[in-house]
Amino acid sequence: MSINVTLTNLPNGNEKPTTLNLGSISEKKKQYFVNHVLQINPKDNEGDNHTCCFNLYYDQNAVRISPYDEPKTWQPFNQKNDEKELVIEMIPFSKESCGSWANYHCPMCLASGECKSPFIKKYIGEFLFSKKYKSER
């Protein structure tokens, strides 16, 4: 069974979000990614607490993943993913050190290999765009 992967952003005000359909992955790879990000410990981010975060929508779950807190499950007003879809919704925080000049530009910045956030590069870049974000560990 394959899972479609969508990368988008949390809109800022009246902006329309950018949505990138990234193809599909196996259920096993999706589960590996979900398990990996659900185990994030803020102490492992070496004080990098002023970077971007993301929401993850999978199955019937929604989780906020940030560098400064444990992953938080929450109930959105409307689930953003379909049954066989993994949606990663970027939430940009620090534009001063970022190549993304607006929230809607964030998914394109990440996909092009230009993301500056160590947290995002480590957890999303290496997973979705491994050729552009080699493991820096």
Side-chain angles (χ1 to χ4, degrees):
M1 176 169 62
S2 63
I3 306 297
N4 293 322
V5 179
T6 301
L7 180 66
T8 188
N9 66 284
L10 186 66
N12 186 13
N14 292 330
E15 286 180 350
K16 182 178 179 186
T18 299
T19 301
L20 303 178
N21 296 313
L22 302 177
S24 61
I25 59 174
S26 68
E27 173 67 32
K28 184 177 179 179
K29 189 169 182 178
K30 179 211 77 166
Q31 199 56 52
Y32 170 81
F33 174 70
V34 169
N35 290 342
H36 182 63
V37 298
L38 289 179
Q39 295 176 20
I40 290 175
N41 182 341
K43 293 177 184 172
D44 296 339
N45 292 320
E46 301 170 2
D48 181 22
N49 294 335
H50 305 289
T51 188
C52 304
C53 67
F54 60 97
N55 292 326
L56 182 64
Y57 301 90
Y58 65 98
D59 303 331
Q60 292 300 311
N61 300 301
V63 181
R64 167 111 354 128
I65 309 290
S66 71
Y68 51 81
D69 202 356
E70 301 288 328
K72 300 278 189 212
T73 302
W74 54 287
Q75 184 62 46
F77 291 118
N78 54 351
Q79 192 73 16
K80 295 193 177 188
N81 67 307
D82 292 329
E83 184 178 333
K84 295 180 181 180
E85 184 180 30
L86 174 73
V87 173
I88 301 170
E89 181 180 52
M90 305 298 304
I91 306 171
F93 282 155
S94 58
K95 290 179 178 57
E96 57 275 349
S97 62
C98 178
S100 180
W101 36 269
N103 283 18
Y104 66 86
H105 187 249
C106 188
M108 295 177 293
C109 185
L110 179 63
S112 69
E114 298 173 20
C115 182
K116 304 291 186 222
S117 167
F119 181 76
I120 297 299
K121 290 190 308 186
K122 179 178 178 180
Y123 290 104
I124 299 176
E126 290 179 17
F127 173 69
L128 294 177
F129 309 105
S130 59
K131 291 179 181 173
K132 294 178 182 171
Y133 297 98
K134 305 270 190 249
S135 179
E136 298 175 5
R137 293 178 234 176

